[in-house]
Amino acid sequence: MKRALITGITGQDGSYLTELLLGKGYEVHGIVRRASVFNTDRIDHLYQDPHDPERRMFLHYGDLSDGGTLRTVLQKVMPEEVYNLGAQSHVKVSFGQPEYTGDIDGLGTLRILEAVRDVQESTGREIRFYQAGTSEMFGATPPPQSESSPFRPRSPYAAAKVYAHWMTVNYREAYGLFTCNGILFNHESERRGETFLTRKVTRAATRIKLGLQEKLYLGNLDAKRDWGHAEDYVEAMWLMLQQDEPDDYVVATGRMYSVREFVERVFGYLDLDWERHVIVDPYQFRPTEVDALQGDASKARTKLGWQPKIDLDELIRRMVENDLELAAQERTLTDYGHAVLRRGAASI
Ligand code: NAP
Ligand code: GDD
């Protein structure tokens, strides 16, 4: 049985990757941050009783700021594969927390690479490493972007990820480690964090539909993105680590839409006129924006045999149907006089 260790297992991608690997018969270990409230919502459905002898999912406390613990967990688990998905992943937040973002997304990657190098060298057992790179690294480089496009990062988040990208390449070249960078374009899902554009829109539009909310405040409607579904993208991560040679790959749908088009489609799905509800709020603008991302994933298609199965309309259908259900539950509670508090973070 293969063993995998995932940082960021509680995030959107971590949850889908865990499902994929468990389905393939892996034993899956994840690093979780200690929090004062439960932060395992996205993987709770995969929880197994610790007394179950058949258990194949294990959680370990740790943090990408803490190299010592990363090494201890790695030594204990001795995985064949490590997926480094943990990050402060919000671009706008990175302008407010640049140092923290650099520490976790940049140096955090170095910390786990060092642990991998050390454990592999001392045990002689290969540990394959996946780094969660991002299309944000292309930043100001015009589309379409491929593996050969230059990085021109436009945020502290993107700059930290560029550092992590090159450290991952360096550990491959300097120490012969099997390390891969996935350069993934935006991917969303029913589990997407509620402060990212797509989920913010599907949550708000479905609440508007059920009379729970009237307005939606958004920032730049002209930005363009290449949006896929996370379920498809975690498969590409796994495929990278199954190849004979380590390499870097762009993962994208190749289709680009503006934020305005996304909003129109979601409201249209619900028979709503978006212009009656959406207000542009300059608070949501970023100091420097990435105007247009559209990936050329030819290499992943040819070498990995990967291609996305879920297009934008299906992505929207899944997200809206999921969020309609949540809004309906909220509507029922409200109708019975229960006040439902919306979280402040949803306004970020
Ligand atoms: P996400 O939902 O924000 O999940 C991030 C994960 O990282 C969470 O499990 C989070 O834990 C964990 N984390 C945050 N700070 C940490 C720290 N200091 N130490 C250890 N873990 C920490 O992000 P995602 O959408 O799944 O993305 C996964 C990875 O892919 C990220 O590295 C992201 O930057 C990258 N990426 C994402 C996309 C995309 O469109 N989704 C595209 C390209 C690249 P908590 O649950 O405790 O917060
Ligand atoms: N979050 C957010 N909130 N974005 C908004 C809003 C708003 O109210 N209004 C407009 N936007 C625009 C942003 O300015 C950006 O151009 C676009 O919508 C998408 O924003 P996000 O969904 O926050 O994603 P992102 O593209 O900045 O970053 C995501 O994708 C990257 C891959 O390209 C994150 O998942 C990153 O972690 C990931 O690396």
Side-chain angles (χ1 to χ4, degrees), residues 7-8 13 64 83-91 94 98 100-110 113 129-138 151 153-169 181-184 187 237:
T7 72
D13 291 5
L64 284 160
Y83 296 85
N84 185 36
L85 311 185
Q88 188 304 92
S89 71
H90 202 285
V91 174
S94 79
Y100 174 75
T101 305
D103 187 23
I104 301 309
D105 299 11
L107 285 177
T109 305
L110 173 60
L113 276 168
F129 180 83
Y130 172 85
Q131 165 57 16
T134 165
S135 49
E136 276 290 304
M137 298 187 295
F138 296 123
F151 293 149
R154 298 266 286 167
S155 65
Y157 166 77
K161 286 284 189 176
V162 169
Y163 173 79
H165 175 96
W166 288 118
M167 290 313 293
T168 302
V169 171
N181 284 293
I183 307 175
L184 272 54
H187 45 280
M237 299 176 186

Side-chain angles (χ1 to χ4, degrees), residues 89 134-135 157 186 192 195 197 200 219-220 223 225 286 289:
S89 71
T134 165
S135 49
Y157 166 77
N186 297 52
R192 185 56 144 153
T195 62
L197 185 273
K200 186 173 167 182
N220 180 10
R225 291 289 182 274
R286 292 158 186 199
E289 174 66 282

Side-chain angles (χ1 to χ4, degrees), residues 12 87-92 132-137 157 161 184-188 192 195-200 216-227 259 284-286 289-291 293 347-348:
Q12 170 188 260
Q88 188 304 92
S89 71
H90 202 285
V91 174
K92 180 158 182 276
T134 165
S135 49
E136 276 290 304
M137 298 187 295
Y157 166 77
K161 286 284 189 176
L184 272 54
F185 283 61
N186 297 52
H187 45 280
E188 321 292 313
R192 185 56 144 153
T195 62
F196 295 96
L197 185 273
T198 55
R199 191 80 198 285
K200 186 173 167 182
L216 166 60
Y217 293 90
L218 294 178
N220 180 10
L221 302 182
D222 296 320
K224 297 191 173 86
R225 291 289 182 274
D226 177 334
W227 283 293
V259 169
Q284 302 293 346
F285 294 161
R286 292 158 186 199
E289 174 66 282
V290 170
D291 294 327
L293 293 173
S347 66
I348 291 172

Side-chain angles (χ1 to χ4, degrees), residues 54-121:
E54 304 292 306
R55 182 158 79 122
R56 286 194 288 118
M57 188 182 81
F58 301 83
L59 300 178
H60 310 260
Y61 281 117
D63 197 296
L64 284 160
S65 63
D66 176 4
T69 304
L70 293 174
R71 194 171 303 229
T72 305
V73 172
L74 201 66
Q75 273 165 342
K76 193 167 150 194
V77 174
M78 282 308 300
E80 280 84 14
E81 296 170 10
V82 171
Y83 296 85
N84 185 36
L85 311 185
Q88 188 304 92
S89 71
H90 202 285
V91 174
K92 180 158 182 276
V93 170
S94 79
F95 288 98
Q97 289 197 282
E99 184 181 333
Y100 174 75
T101 305
D103 187 23
I104 301 309
D105 299 11
L107 285 177
T109 305
L110 173 60
R111 290 185 187 105
I112 189 147
L113 276 168
E114 259 298 276
V116 167
R117 180 179 75 85
D118 191 27
V119 175
Q120 178 168 313
E121 277 179 10

Side-chain angles (χ1 to χ4, degrees), residues 18-82:
T18 303
E19 282 172 5
L20 179 89
L21 296 178
L22 288 174
K24 289 184 182 298
Y26 279 60
E27 184 175 294
V28 179
H29 293 254
I31 290 182
V32 295
R33 299 195 285 175
R34 194 270 156 184
S36 64
V37 288
F38 288 125
N39 58 355
T40 52
D41 287 13
R42 291 187 179 104
I43 48 170
D44 281 343
H45 63 291
L46 303 171
Y47 176 82
Q48 290 164 306
D49 190 309
H51 307 98
D52 180 351
E54 304 292 306
R55 182 158 79 122
R56 286 194 288 118
M57 188 182 81
F58 301 83
L59 300 178
H60 310 260
Y61 281 117
D63 197 296
L64 284 160
S65 63
D66 176 4
T69 304
L70 293 174
R71 194 171 303 229
T72 305
V73 172
L74 201 66
Q75 273 165 342
K76 193 167 150 194
V77 174
M78 282 308 300
E80 280 84 14
E81 296 170 10
V82 171

Side-chain angles (χ1 to χ4, degrees), residues 4 16 27 31 34 143 153 179 274 324:
Y16 284 110
E27 184 175 294
I31 290 182
R34 194 270 156 184
T179 62
W274 71 276
L324 261 180

